Amino acid sequence: MQKRSLSRNRSDNSQKQFMIKHVKKSTKQQSQPSSNNTSQTMFDGQPDDGLLLDLIFKNENIVQIDISLESFAQDNQFNTQCIDIHLFLVALQEDVNNPQVRRNLAYNWHYHHEHLLCLISDIPNNSFCLSNHLVTTHLRGKMIDWMIEVFGNYENICTDFTFFRAVTLMDHYMKVSTSHHKDSDLHLIGVACMFIATKLEDIYHITLRDFVSRVSHNKFSAFQIKSAELQILESLKYFVTFPTTLDYLRVLMHRCFNLNDNPNLQNIQTTAVFILKMTLFDYKLLEFQPNVLCCAILSYAIQKFYTDKSEQIDQSVLDKYQHAILKAAQCDHNHYQQCSNYIYTFAYSFQQKFSHVQNLEKYG
């Protein structure tokens, strides 16, 4: 693991050195515009990585594109991560026809474009998952709240990916199951889904002994949990590695902001993930496609970020955010508008509508 980490660091450093040399060279020499613009227009209108970096940096005064490279590097308030990203963006803007940059640009676009299409097609449609069962939506919400508490007590082992995997497994099983379950069955189903999820997502998963003694408090035996696990796996035909809405949100964040440790972007991401957890409690929101749902949530999180800071932002800037996110998510504008309106109302009325939820604020 240490050797792999060292080799990855060498690779990253070599790429950074190439970009820095290329940018310094391009800033010293004014290159003549190329007569062949076919390669430059090949990717026009296509979503690229870091699509919203320039917008968020411009509005937060983190990056000023018009200042010189030397003053940019000397300013102490800019961290090295922002400098590297700025150098990368300038390198692409200065000489997009450079062969190495061109290959990286083409590879990144095709890879992420295909990945996004596969992600959208592979996420299961769990709308109306309780229609064939005698399980109430209220009890489903209580089960999700209990899952938050269970995984919250294992925060050193489990992550948000484990939680979203467990909920999605439960909903997808209820969607495809031919058995007619009732309220009393949901507890065991939820325990089995958490057991599958932690084995899939966590390096050191929650043991079966813990699920018997600590999680279910000896209500279910190891045999019952393993039997329910087998029933779920057979019903899903062992297809349990499908993407969740959290996976899609992370991909959308990467397409919009790239990999960045800026605290403002981390604030937006944390807010978006928390709202995404809130949406799991609303049975109606399962009807929206994941790309539409995540697009509306990210737009709401960005606007809430500026609202919480009591900063005035022009509507034109928000429209640019919305347009860029829609472009990255590749979702229909009408569906987005419908989902966005629902999210705004849902976020303000959540505590009143779901007053029984106790663990989201504590462990979320």
Side-chain angles (χ1 to χ4, degrees):
M1 182 67 70
Q2 187 175 3
K3 292 182 179 179
R4 184 182 302 174
S5 178
L6 289 174
S7 63
R8 185 183 295 114
N9 289 335
R10 292 194 195 102
S11 176
D12 292 343
N13 289 332
S14 63
Q15 291 179 3
K16 290 178 182 178
Q17 290 301 323
F18 165 76
M19 288 301 177
I20 291 173
K21 290 179 181 178
H22 176 70
V23 173
K24 288 184 177 179
K25 182 178 179 181
S26 62
T27 52
K28 291 181 179 179
Q29 300 176 355
Q30 268 309 342
S31 59
Q32 295 296 329
S34 175
S35 59
N36 184 10
N37 293 330
T38 56
S39 59
Q40 186 172 357
T41 59
M42 178 179 175
F43 297 96
D44 287 349
Q46 303 293 352
D48 298 324
D49 290 343
L51 193 63
L52 296 181
L53 271 176
D54 53 345
L55 285 176
I56 194 73
F57 284 163
K58 181 179 179 181
N59 288 283
E60 286 301 313
N61 296 321
I62 298 173
V63 172
Q64 298 292 339
I65 302 300
D66 55 342
I67 63 178
S68 63
L69 184 62
E70 289 75 15
S71 62
F72 181 86
Q74 293 173 1
D75 198 336
N76 294 327
Q77 66 178 329
F78 301 131
N79 56 38
T80 56
Q81 182 77 13
C82 292
I83 296 175
D84 292 339
I85 292 175
H86 178 73
L87 292 175
F88 179 75
L89 291 175
V90 171
L92 294 182
Q93 292 174 357
E94 289 292 331
D95 189 6
V96 75
N97 292 316
N98 181 281
Q100 184 169 349
V101 175
R102 188 67 190 162
R103 284 193 296 270
N104 291 339
L105 183 64
Y107 173 81
N108 287 338
W109 186 87
H110 284 291
Y111 175 83
H112 291 297
H113 181 69
E114 293 295 329
H115 180 251
L116 180 67
L117 295 180
C118 293
L119 196 66
I120 295 174
S121 61
D122 287 346
I123 294 182
N125 180 13
N126 295 327
S127 59
F128 307 105
C129 59
L130 302 179
S131 58
N132 295 327
H133 306 282
L134 298 177
V135 179
T136 62
T137 58
H138 177 76
L139 187 65
R140 174 185 171 274
K142 291 185 66 175
M143 171 55 65
I144 294 174
D145 189 49
W146 180 62
M147 285 183 177
I148 294 177
E149 181 182 8
V150 171
F151 290 130
N153 288 320
Y154 289 91
E155 61 180 355
N156 294 329
I157 298 176
C158 304
T159 64
D160 288 336
F161 291 98
T162 315
F163 166 67
F164 278 89
R165 175 74 56 192
V167 176
T168 309
L169 280 170
M170 180 181 69
D171 288 340
H172 194 43
Y173 168 71
M174 300 297 284
K175 176 77 173 184
V176 303
S177 176
T178 56
S179 304
H180 297 284
H181 294 288
K182 49 186 182 295
D183 283 350
S184 57
D185 300 330
L186 192 62
H187 192 185
L188 179 58
I189 293 173
V191 171
C193 288
M194 286 190 290
F195 185 45
I196 297 172
T198 186
K199 289 192 292 184
L200 286 172
E201 299 289 348
D202 303 325
I203 298 175
Y204 303 102
H205 64 83
I206 306 174
T207 62
L208 180 60
R209 181 180 300 177
D210 274 16
F211 272 104
V212 173
S213 59
R214 292 187 60 187
V215 177
S216 65
H217 301 288
N218 295 309
K219 182 177 180 179
F220 305 115
S221 64
F223 177 77
Q224 288 176 300
I225 297 175
K226 293 292 291 183
S227 298
E229 178 191 20
L230 180 60
Q231 183 181 0
I232 293 171
L233 292 175
E234 289 179 345
S235 299
L236 299 180
K237 299 180 180 179
Y238 291 87
F239 179 57
V240 293
T241 57
F242 44 76
T244 66
T245 50
L246 180 61
D247 295 322
Y248 188 87
L249 180 63
R250 291 297 179 91
V251 170
L252 183 59
M253 285 289 299
H254 181 269
R255 288 175 67 84
C256 291
F257 299 112
N258 214 320
L259 296 177
N260 192 274
D261 61 354
N262 180 267
N264 293 328
L265 300 182
Q266 293 297 321
N267 190 324
I268 292 173
Q269 178 172 307
T270 301
T271 303
V273 172
F274 188 83
I275 298 172
L276 190 61
K277 289 181 181 180
M278 292 167 55
T279 60
L280 294 176
F281 291 92
D282 196 320
Y283 183 68
K284 180 178 174 56
L285 283 171
L286 291 175
E287 301 176 17
F288 290 103
Q289 292 293 326
N291 58 329
V292 178
L293 179 64
C294 293
C295 187
I297 289 175
L298 183 56
S299 298
Y300 176 83
I302 292 174
Q303 183 166 349
K304 190 175 187 302
F305 169 76
Y306 287 108
T307 304
D308 291 346
K309 295 186 68 174
S310 300
E311 291 186 2
Q312 296 291 334
I313 182 170
D314 294 337
Q315 185 61 38
S316 59
V317 177
L318 292 177
D319 291 339
K320 288 182 180 179
Y321 281 130
Q322 177 181 314
H323 176 73
I325 294 173
L326 283 170
K327 181 180 177 182
Q330 299 183 14
C331 62
D332 181 73
H333 184 271
N334 293 331
H335 293 164
Y336 160 79
Q337 200 63 48
Q338 181 183 0
C339 183
S340 180
N341 294 336
Y342 190 92
I343 289 294
Y344 275 79
T345 306
F346 165 80
Y348 285 105
S349 61
F350 179 82
Q351 291 184 347
Q352 180 180 359
K353 187 176 181 180
F354 299 95
S355 57
H356 61 278
V357 176
Q358 301 176 355
N359 296 306
L360 180 60
E361 191 72 28
K362 183 178 180 181
Y363 298 102

